[in-house]
Amino acid sequence: MQKRILGYVLLVVGLTGMAVAGYLFAVGTGGRGHLIEVCSYMIMGAVCFFAGVNYVYAGANKFT
């Protein structure tokens, strides 16, 4: 799979994960379990997002 395509897929997955975390934070009931769930979605979303940005940037710098 090409790096740019994988990068765009990771970007979408990361943005979706961060959006889900924001939604759960807004409508959640609170509590420790809820906070751990929101933090895990946010961290995994951010990791996927920044990895996707890196792949897109690396794929764009390569001349083929």
Side-chain angles (χ1 to χ4, degrees):
M1 187 179 277
Q2 293 181 355
K3 280 190 172 185
R4 285 183 98 178
I5 295 171
L6 181 62
Y8 287 125
V9 169
L10 283 172
L11 274 169
V12 170
V13 169
L15 286 175
T16 305
M18 289 190 287
V20 166
Y23 174 75
L24 289 175
F25 182 74
V27 300
T29 58
R32 182 184 172 126
H34 176 72
L35 183 61
I36 291 172
E37 181 184 10
V38 169
C39 287
S40 64
Y41 278 122
M42 184 59 78
I43 290 170
M44 290 306 295
V47 166
C48 289
F49 177 77
F50 288 117
V53 168
N54 189 25
Y55 277 145
V56 170
Y57 182 73
N61 283 339
K62 209 180 250 188
F63 180 73
T64 56

